Amino acid sequence: MTYKIGSQAKAWWPIRFNGVTEDGEVVVNEIRGRFLILDEDENFNLDREIAAVRVADDDGNVSLSELMAPLVLRFLEDWKDVVEDDGTEGGKAVPFTEASLKRMLRVPNFANGVADAYRAARKAEPERRKGN
């Protein structure tokens, strides 16, 4: 197989993040995200910017979701299986927008889940089966 240099790699990849039910049961939530696979220079710069956000001494007027959303938007361009609880059985699909991403970044464990999924997609390694 040939490799076309200069093409922007993209991949749909599972995003998994733990949650807890009202009964105290731990659940693994899963959605799918469409990731842009950044080149080495872009990825290096992104890592530096994320590190800078984590150590930034801000005055507390900006939330973490506000700071992180523009960075996540550089590598996540769409999602599937995110729904709003509207009282129906299936819920209402939530479109991928900056506002909806900020909302999801406030969900416990989602930010780590999306970061882990991007790293796994970028490494391009098949998932290893758990157990035997």
Side-chain angles (χ1 to χ4, degrees), residues 38 40 66:
L38 302 178
E40 293 297 325
E66 291 284 334

Side-chain angles (χ1 to χ4, degrees), residues 39-57:
D39 70 26
E40 293 297 325
D41 291 340
E42 292 169 324
N43 197 64
F44 176 76
N45 289 329
L46 179 66
D47 284 345
R48 287 178 40 182
E49 290 177 53
I50 290 171
V53 165
R54 289 186 176 160
V55 299
D57 182 26

Side-chain angles (χ1 to χ4, degrees), residues 30-31 80-94:
E30 182 175 318
I31 66 170
K80 294 179 183 176
D81 305 322
V82 178
V83 296
E84 178 81 37
D85 184 1
D86 65 352
T88 65
E89 186 175 327
K92 178 183 171 190
V94 175

Side-chain angles (χ1 to χ4, degrees), residues 13-112:
W13 203 267
I15 300 170
R16 295 182 183 103
F17 55 102
N18 287 352
V20 64
T21 67
E22 189 173 324
D23 295 328
E25 177 187 350
V26 174
V27 294
V28 178
N29 300 295
E30 182 175 318
I31 66 170
R32 295 191 60 77
R34 184 170 176 162
F35 292 96
L36 298 171
I37 309 302
L38 302 178
D39 70 26
E40 293 297 325
D41 291 340
E42 292 169 324
N43 197 64
F44 176 76
N45 289 329
L46 179 66
D47 284 345
R48 287 178 40 182
E49 290 177 53
I50 290 171
V53 165
R54 289 186 176 160
V55 299
D57 182 26
D58 81 70
D59 57 14
N61 291 329
V62 180
S63 68
L64 183 61
S65 60
E66 291 284 334
L67 292 169
M68 293 303 290
L71 299 173
V72 173
L73 285 169
R74 293 195 8 218
F75 61 86
L76 181 64
E77 69 173 16
D78 200 1
W79 61 30
K80 294 179 183 176
D81 305 322
V82 178
V83 296
E84 178 81 37
D85 184 1
D86 65 352
T88 65
E89 186 175 327
K92 178 183 171 190
V94 175
F96 183 79
T97 65
E98 185 172 0
S100 58
L101 174 62
K102 288 176 184 176
R103 186 173 176 197
M104 282 297 290
L105 287 169
R106 291 190 296 272
V107 171
N109 303 313
F110 177 76
N112 287 336

